[in-house]
């Protein structure tokens, strides 16, 4: 599966989460996004999406806000502790989006993801509660991320 992974603020493309996805057999597009220019980060992400045509788009923290801003068509979205209230102007996501967040997140309040689920009319099970902090880098969080990515790419017949 081809995954576009958009990292968070002050993170790098070689981080643990995209590496975990690669280590589990997926091809990961992972552009370096500038920390100081949100619009430029969105432009880079959009170009990467348009060129790569990924099966799933994953956004971590600020990368989640970037994901919410690009035009991803009907491509499934997985957001990890999305920092949508801090960056960008999007306040909803489309049906089928999966959000993972830790109640103990010290950077992005868990309540922000609860609000995003409500704003978007998503079912409560769209929000996966996992992890011990903002990074979602513990083994359980990584496993849940992988499962969410793989489930979101399954196309069910109508």
């Amino acid at each position: 599966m081809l995954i576009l992974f958009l990292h968070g603020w002050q993170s790098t493309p070689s981080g643990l989460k995209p590496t975990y996805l690669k280590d589990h057999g997926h091809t990961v597009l992972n552009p370096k996004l500038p920390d100081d220019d949100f619009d430029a980060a969105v432009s880079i992400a959009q170009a990467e999406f348009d060129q790569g045509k990924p099966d799933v788009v994953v956004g971590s923290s600020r990368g989640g806000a970037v994901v919410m801003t690009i035009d991803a068509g009907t491509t499934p979205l997985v957001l990890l502790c999305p920092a949508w209230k801090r960056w960008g102007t999007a306040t909803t996501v489309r049906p089928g989006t999966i959000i993972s967040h830790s109640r103990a997140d010290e950077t992005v309040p868990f309540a922000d993801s609860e609000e995003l689920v409500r704003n978007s009319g998503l079912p409560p099970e769209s929000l996966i509660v996992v992890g011990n902090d903002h990074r979602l880098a513990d083994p359980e969080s990584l496993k849940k991320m992988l499962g969410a990515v793989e489930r979101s790419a399954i196309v069910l017949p109508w």
Side-chain angles (χ1 to χ4, degrees):
M1 171 183 340
L2 181 60
I3 301 164
L4 174 58
F5 188 95
L6 302 175
H7 65 80
W9 186 67
Q10 296 187 330
S11 293
T12 63
S14 61
L16 179 64
K17 291 182 281 283
T19 300
Y20 186 85
L21 294 169
K22 286 179 189 175
D23 288 349
H24 284 82
H26 300 293
T27 302
V28 180
L29 304 172
N30 193 5
K32 174 68 177 147
L33 303 177
D35 287 336
D36 56 350
D37 188 337
F38 185 78
D39 291 336
V42 170
S43 293
I44 290 166
Q46 187 68 60
E48 196 76 25
F49 177 87
D50 293 344
Q51 183 177 9
K53 305 289 188 224
D55 300 303
V56 178
V57 182
V58 179
S60 180
S61 191
R62 179 178 179 253
V66 173
V67 169
M68 291 172 63
T69 305
I70 67 169
D71 179 3
T74 60
T75 303
L77 307 178
V78 175
L79 307 178
L80 310 172
C81 304
W84 63 278
K85 284 190 151 186
R86 224 173 260 179
W87 285 284
T89 58
T91 58
T92 62
V93 291
R94 70 172 168 276
T97 299
I98 299 172
I99 303 167
S100 290
H101 207 134
S102 170
R103 287 190 188 280
D105 189 333
E106 69 287 351
T107 304
V108 176
F110 180 79
D112 288 3
S113 285
E114 292 177 311
E115 182 179 341
L116 183 57
V117 167
R118 283 191 307 274
N119 289 353
S120 304
L122 296 175
E125 59 271 15
S126 298
L127 178 55
I128 299 168
V129 181
V130 68
N132 305 316
D133 59 21
H134 181 68
R135 291 189 63 230
L136 298 185
D138 59 280
E140 180 189 5
S141 295
L142 293 170
K143 185 177 178 180
K144 294 273 188 178
M145 173 191 65
L146 178 64
V149 166
E150 291 176 345
R151 275 192 318 280
S152 69
I154 296 172
V155 178
L156 299 175
W158 293 98

